Amino acid sequence: MTITQDSSAPLVAVVGATGTQGGSVIKALSESPKPYRIRGFTRDASKPSAQALAKQGVEMVSVTFSVDHKEHVHKVFEGATYAFVVTNFWEHHSMDREVAEGKMMIDAAKAANVRLLVWSGLENFSDISGGKYTHVLHFDGKAKVTAYAKEVGIPFVNVECGQYFANFLTMASPKKQEDGSFILFSPAPPDAVTPLVDTAHDYGLFVQKAIEQSEPGTEIFAHGDVISGADLARQWGEVLGKKTSYVQVSEDQFKQGMAKAGVPEPVAIELLEMYLGIAELGYFGKKDLGPSLEGLERAPRTWVDFIKANDWSKVNSVSVINALSESPKPYRIRAFTRDANKDAAKALANRGVEVVAVNFTVENKEEAFKAFEGATYAFVVTNFWEHMQQDKEIAEGKMLVDAAAHAKVKLLVWSGLESMAKASSGKYNNVFHFDGKAMVTEYAKTVGIPAVADVQAGMYMENYLGTGAFALIKKQEDGSYTISNPADPESTVPLISTVCDYGLFVRKLIEAPNHEPFTSVYTHSEVLSQKEIARQLAEGTGKDVTYHQVSEEDFKKSWAAMGLPEIVAQELYEGYASHSEFGYYGNNDIAPSLKGLARTPRTWVEFIKVADWGQILN
C-alpha cells in the first residue's frame, strides 16, 4: 500500500522523518496493507532527504522542536490520528533539554487529541540500579518523559529501541590490528548479552505493530537479536572470514580510549555506565522481550543478517579519509562538513579527524580560505545534484581551488569529470554535471598549484541501490525487474563502488614519489555493458532482472512522471546517450589508473554479494 492522500485514512505525524527511527516508521507504514496519510517533521523540508519523502507522498513540514517554538509545535500536530515521537539526546548531550522537549511534544500530541501516541522511550538506569548507575542520561531522560506521558493520561505505547546494529559500522566497529586480525573492545564481560536491532530497516515494524495491534499502556521492546559480545565478534568473523576476537577492557582503559578519541569525559562516563549497567541489569531491565516479536509484519534482521547485508569495508576503507587512515604513513586529517554535530561527523571526530563546520558557498569565501590554511594536500569535490546549477557548481569549485592555492598545498586532488560537450563536438551540450566539473579542472591548471590531480569517479555501483525518483531498477507488474535507459545494451560503463574504493585512487596519488603538474585518474574496478550489468545482478540475486533500452521520448516521459524538471530529464538523457556513443571517460586509456593501488577495488559481482537489495528487489 502506497502512502495515500485520501482524507478518510488516518493521519500519522512522525517526528524525525528524515532520521533513523522516524524514517524507519515511514518505511514500515508505507509498506503496510492499511492506508495512511503521513505528515513528516524535519528541520528543513527543502533538503534532499525530505524532498525524497515528499515525492513518496509524505506531507513534509519544517519545524524546530525546541521549547521556544511551543506554539508552532502544537500547531503541526493538529489533525493527527496517531503520533510517533522521538528525541535526540546526542544532538546536545543535555538530559534536561531532552526531557523538556519530550514533554512539550507529549503535550502537543495530547492537545491534538491523538488516538494513540507511540513514544520511543528507554529504561531508567538510575532507578533499576538502585542509584548505582546515575550517569546514563540518554536512558534516564527518556524514562522521565515516559513517566510524564503516564501522568498526563495520553493513550500511548512505549516502543523502546534496542542497541543499533549500525553502531558497529562506525565508532563501535571491530578494530583492525597490525597482524590483520580484528578486535571488538568493550568494558562489558564477554558473556553479557544485549538486544540489538537494525533500526533503519526494522524499528518501524514495531511502531506499525503498536499502531495496528497494541492497546494503550503496552511496552514493546524493538530488537532482532539478543547476543553476547563474544558472539558478536565470533559471528562477525565467521561471516566475513576475518580473525576476530572480543576483548573486555578495564574501566580505566575504556575511559582512556574515549579520551584519546576526543570524547568528552562526561560522555565517556555515560557510555561506561551504560555498558556496565546493561551487562549487570539488562538493556531493557529484566523484562520479557518475547511478546514484542509476535505479530510483526515480517521478521526483523538478526546480527548475522545484518552482517551479510552491509558493506563492512567501512571498517577499514570506504572513502578518502578511510583510505588514508589505512595507510602505513601517518596523516593528520581535517574534514569539512556543514554540520559538525551530525552523527557521521561525530563518528569521524571520535576517530581522531579534525572536523570543521563550513559552508562552501561563494558568500563564505573568507571562511573557506581560512579552513584550508595549513593543509599539505587537499581533496575537493562539488555536488551538482544538491542544487542542479552548473554556474553554482563552477563558482564553488573555483573558490575551493583558490582556497587550496592560497594555502599553498603541494597537491590538489580534484574530483572532476569529462566534458561531454567537448567529447561529442557539441552534440551533447546539456550534461551539466560533467561539463561543469571539466571547467573547474581547466581552471585548476591555471592558478599555480604545483600539482593537480583530476580523480574522476566512474558510475557509482551504489546508484543501483537508489529508491524513489532516482531508482535505476524498476519492478514490473509480473514481478520481474528492469534497468531501463537510452544507452545501447552493448555500450559499456566504468563501474566503481565509490564508498568502498574511490579513496584508494586518491591515496595512490598523495603517496606517489613524484607529483606531475597535472594528472588524470579514471576510477573504476571494471568496465561492463548495460546488458552485462543486468545479467550479473540477476545471477547474483536470483531475481529476474533484464536491461531494456528505451527511446529518448519514453525516457524523458518516465522522469517527468516522477516530477523531475524537463531540463534534468534532458541532462540525464544526454548523459546516457553521450556515454553510449563517446564513452564515459571519452577515449582516454583508463587501464593505467588501476596500477599501484593499495588493494584491488571491488567488482560488480562482489558489490552485489555484499549490498542490501531488500528495498530494491523486494
Side-chain angles (χ1 to χ4, degrees):
M1 172 65 67
T2 55
I3 298 166
T4 184
Q5 308 303 317
D6 188 337
S7 60
S8 66
L11 173 62
V12 185
V14 179
V15 173
T18 58
T20 305
Q21 290 190 26
S24 185
V25 170
I26 291 175
K27 176 179 180 292
L29 294 180
S30 70
E31 293 173 355
S32 171
K34 297 186 178 183
Y36 293 99
R37 291 176 293 144
I38 299 179
R39 181 183 296 161
F41 301 136
T42 183
R43 284 192 186 88
D44 182 5
S46 68
K47 63 185 178 183
S49 55
Q51 288 297 299
L53 289 173
K55 287 184 172 68
Q56 295 174 38
V58 178
E59 176 196 356
M60 293 303 298
V61 177
S62 295
V63 57
T64 299
F65 286 109
S66 66
V67 292
D68 307 321
H69 295 86
K70 177 181 174 181
E71 186 176 340
H72 186 217
V73 170
H74 276 242
K75 184 175 181 181
V76 297
F77 276 89
E78 289 176 2
T81 316
Y82 302 101
F84 170 73
V85 171
V86 62
T87 51
N88 185 4
F89 170 87
W90 296 109
E91 189 174 64
H92 44 69
H93 293 189
S94 168
M95 184 175 76
D96 290 343
R97 178 175 169 181
E98 179 171 41
V99 172
E101 292 176 356
K103 286 181 175 181
M104 176 191 62
M105 288 187 276
I106 298 291
D107 290 339
K110 189 173 189 296
N113 198 30
V114 297
R115 188 180 303 168
L116 182 74
L117 165 73
V118 182
W119 156 245
S120 178
L122 284 171
E123 297 297 302
N124 189 318
F125 267 85
S126 292
D127 287 350
I128 64 176
S129 71
K132 183 176 181 179
Y133 301 115
T134 59
H135 296 92
V136 193
L137 306 181
H138 66 294
F139 272 63
D140 289 2
K142 288 182 172 62
K144 291 178 187 293
V145 177
T146 304
Y148 180 76
K150 292 177 182 177
E151 179 186 319
V152 300
I154 188 171
F156 81 101
V157 173
N158 180 21
V159 181
E160 300 191 14
C161 188
Q163 185 175 350
Y164 288 25
F165 280 142
N167 288 350
F168 293 95
L169 287 166
T170 53
M171 64 179 296
S173 65
K175 301 299 185 288
K176 192 173 185 179
Q177 306 303 298
E178 289 184 1
D179 64 358
S181 66
F182 290 82
I183 295 178
L184 184 62
F185 294 99
S186 169
D191 58 352
V193 297
T194 303
L196 297 111
V197 64
D198 185 349
T199 313
H201 191 260
D202 296 327
Y203 178 80
L205 295 173
F206 297 86
V207 175
Q208 179 189 354
K209 171 185 172 178
I211 290 173
E212 296 180 355
Q213 303 176 37
S214 301
E215 294 295 323
T218 304
E219 286 187 314
I220 296 176
F221 306 104
H223 68 290
D225 215 337
V226 181
I227 190 169
S228 69
D231 282 339
L232 279 168
R234 179 183 59 79
Q235 292 181 11
W236 190 85
E238 287 176 354
V239 173
L240 299 178
K242 306 285 186 182
K243 182 182 178 183
T244 310
S245 57
Y246 180 89
V247 172
Q248 181 182 5
V249 296
S250 69
E251 294 183 24
D252 284 343
Q253 287 173 325
F254 180 80
K255 287 189 282 189
Q256 287 169 8
M258 290 288 102
K260 187 177 179 180
V263 177
E265 185 178 6
V267 178
I269 293 171
E270 167 149 9
L271 293 174
L272 173 64
E273 289 198 8
M274 179 194 72
Y275 282 115
L276 296 178
I278 292 169
E280 183 179 342
L281 305 162
Y283 185 100
F284 293 129
K286 302 296 183 182
K287 295 174 179 176
D288 182 8
L289 310 188
S292 296
L293 295 175
E294 297 171 2
L296 297 176
E297 193 70 23
R298 57 174 169 77
R301 280 179 175 161
T302 64
W303 175 233
V304 167
D305 294 333
F306 182 82
I307 297 168
K308 291 178 178 178
N310 280 275
D311 178 5
W312 290 94
S313 62
K314 292 179 182 179
V315 172
N316 56 359
S317 156
V318 292
S319 63
V320 172
I321 289 174
N322 285 346
L324 293 176
S325 70
E326 282 189 342
S327 173
K329 298 185 177 183
Y331 293 100
R332 291 175 297 139
I333 299 178
R334 181 186 299 160
F336 304 131
T337 180
R338 285 193 187 90
D339 182 6
N341 289 315
K342 62 185 179 183
D343 290 344
K346 289 178 180 178
L348 289 174
N350 288 338
R351 293 167 52 194
V353 176
E354 177 193 356
V355 179
V356 177
V358 57
N359 191 7
F360 286 119
T361 61
V362 290
E363 293 81 16
N364 290 323
K365 178 180 177 180
E366 186 176 340
E367 184 182 359
F369 272 55
K370 185 177 180 181
F372 277 83
E373 287 178 1
T376 313
Y377 307 103
F379 169 73
V380 171
V381 62
T382 52
N383 184 4
F384 170 86
W385 296 108
E386 187 175 63
H387 45 71
M388 300 186 192
Q389 299 176 45
Q390 186 189 63
D391 289 346
K392 182 174 181 180
E393 179 171 42
I394 293 170
E396 292 177 355
K398 287 182 174 180
M399 179 192 68
L400 293 170
V401 170
D402 288 340
H406 183 263
K408 294 182 169 52
V409 299
K410 294 180 180 178
L411 170 69
L412 169 67
V413 182
W414 155 247
S415 179
L417 285 170
E418 294 297 300
S419 168
M420 287 296 110
K422 182 178 179 181
S424 69
S425 299
K427 182 175 182 179
Y428 298 111
N429 290 319
N430 295 294
V431 192
F432 302 121
H433 66 294
F434 271 61
D435 290 356
K437 287 183 171 62
M439 291 180 192
V440 177
T441 303
E442 293 306 311
Y443 178 77
K445 297 177 184 179
T446 68
V447 297
I449 297 175
V452 174
D454 175 21
V455 181
Q456 302 189 19
M459 173 71 169
Y460 288 25
M461 292 180 185
E462 290 82 2
N463 286 352
Y464 291 92
L465 294 170
T467 59
F470 284 93
L472 298 185
I473 302 171
K474 302 290 196 304
K475 190 172 186 177
Q476 306 303 304
E477 291 183 1
D478 64 359
S480 66
Y481 299 86
T482 60
I483 300 173
S484 302
N485 68 58
D488 186 283
E490 301 296 339
S491 67
T492 59
V493 61
L495 293 167
I496 183 170
S497 176
T498 313
V499 172
C500 181
D501 297 327
Y502 179 86
L504 294 172
F505 297 83
V506 176
R507 172 181 159 186
K508 163 185 156 178
L509 286 164
I510 289 175
E511 297 183 348
N514 298 299
H515 296 139
E516 298 294 328
F518 181 75
T519 307
S520 289
V521 173
Y522 308 101
T523 71
H524 69 290
S525 66
E526 60 183 337
V527 180
L528 294 178
S529 69
Q530 302 287 346
K531 187 170 67 174
E532 185 64 12
I533 289 170
R535 188 194 68 76
Q536 290 187 15
L537 180 59
E539 190 174 276
T541 61
K543 300 290 186 178
D544 182 2
V545 185
T546 55
Y547 177 76
H548 178 57
Q549 183 180 10
V550 296
S551 68
E552 177 180 354
E553 182 181 3
D554 288 344
F555 179 81
K556 292 178 183 176
K557 282 181 180 177
S558 69
W559 288 102
M562 288 183 282
L564 286 183
E566 183 179 352
I567 186 85
V568 177
Q570 180 67 31
E571 163 145 8
L572 292 171
Y573 165 73
E574 290 196 14
Y576 281 113
S578 61
H579 300 159
S580 178
E581 188 173 347
F582 297 101
Y584 186 99
Y585 288 137
N587 293 318
N588 293 300
D589 181 10
I590 68 175
S593 297
L594 292 174
K595 296 177 180 178
L597 298 176
R599 59 170 172 76
T600 304
R602 177 175 284 168
T603 65
W604 176 232
V605 166
E606 290 168 342
F607 179 84
I608 292 167
K609 287 178 180 178
V610 300
D612 178 10
W613 298 97
Q615 293 188 54
I616 314 300
L617 305 175
N618 51 26

